[in-house]
Amino acid sequence: MQDDKLDFTKVGQRIRVARKDSGMTQEAVSVLCHCTSKHISAVENGSTRPSIELLVALSRILNVSIDSFLIDAPTVGPRFIIDVAMAERAER
């Protein structure tokens, strides 16, 4: 893996930790995210990449910042801003 690529296994692990810290089950999170618990499990295991929309939903539901899921990626940080089109898409 190149240094500028996200490690989705680590992203999934961080999502799992945030979910467990919130005391929520995969089923409860999946209902609020409008997906299946199987999908949440696959994201947490790193076998499925989360969409931007799912990251936004998880961030809101679990009350953590999106970059807390992505922090190991060198291209993610305060100096990077989601462009307007991506932000609008994520809001929808």
Side-chain angles (χ1 to χ4, degrees):
M1 179 182 336
Q2 295 178 3
D3 290 340
D4 63 345
K5 300 283 182 171
L6 282 173
D7 182 339
F8 286 98
T9 300
K10 288 183 180 180
V11 171
Q13 290 168 347
R14 289 189 197 97
I15 291 169
R16 177 182 289 117
V17 167
R19 177 183 57 75
K20 287 185 174 188
D21 286 349
S22 74
M24 297 184 77
T25 64
Q26 288 178 341
E27 181 65 31
V29 169
S30 70
V31 169
L32 294 171
C33 290
H34 307 289
C35 65
T36 65
S37 58
K38 185 176 179 177
H39 183 67
I40 297 297
S41 176
V43 168
E44 289 184 358
N45 290 323
S47 60
T48 297
R49 294 178 175 193
S51 65
I52 291 173
E53 293 85 358
L54 181 60
L55 287 173
V56 170
L58 290 169
S59 173
R60 288 181 179 160
I61 291 163
L62 302 174
N63 198 31
V64 297
S65 66
I66 293 173
D67 53 336
S68 69
F69 300 141
L70 309 174
I71 201 69
D72 278 347
T75 57
V76 177
R79 69 181 189 274
F80 291 91
I81 299 172
I82 297 175
D83 66 40
V84 174
M86 294 295 285
E88 289 173 358
R89 182 173 175 220
E91 282 299 314
R92 286 193 299 255

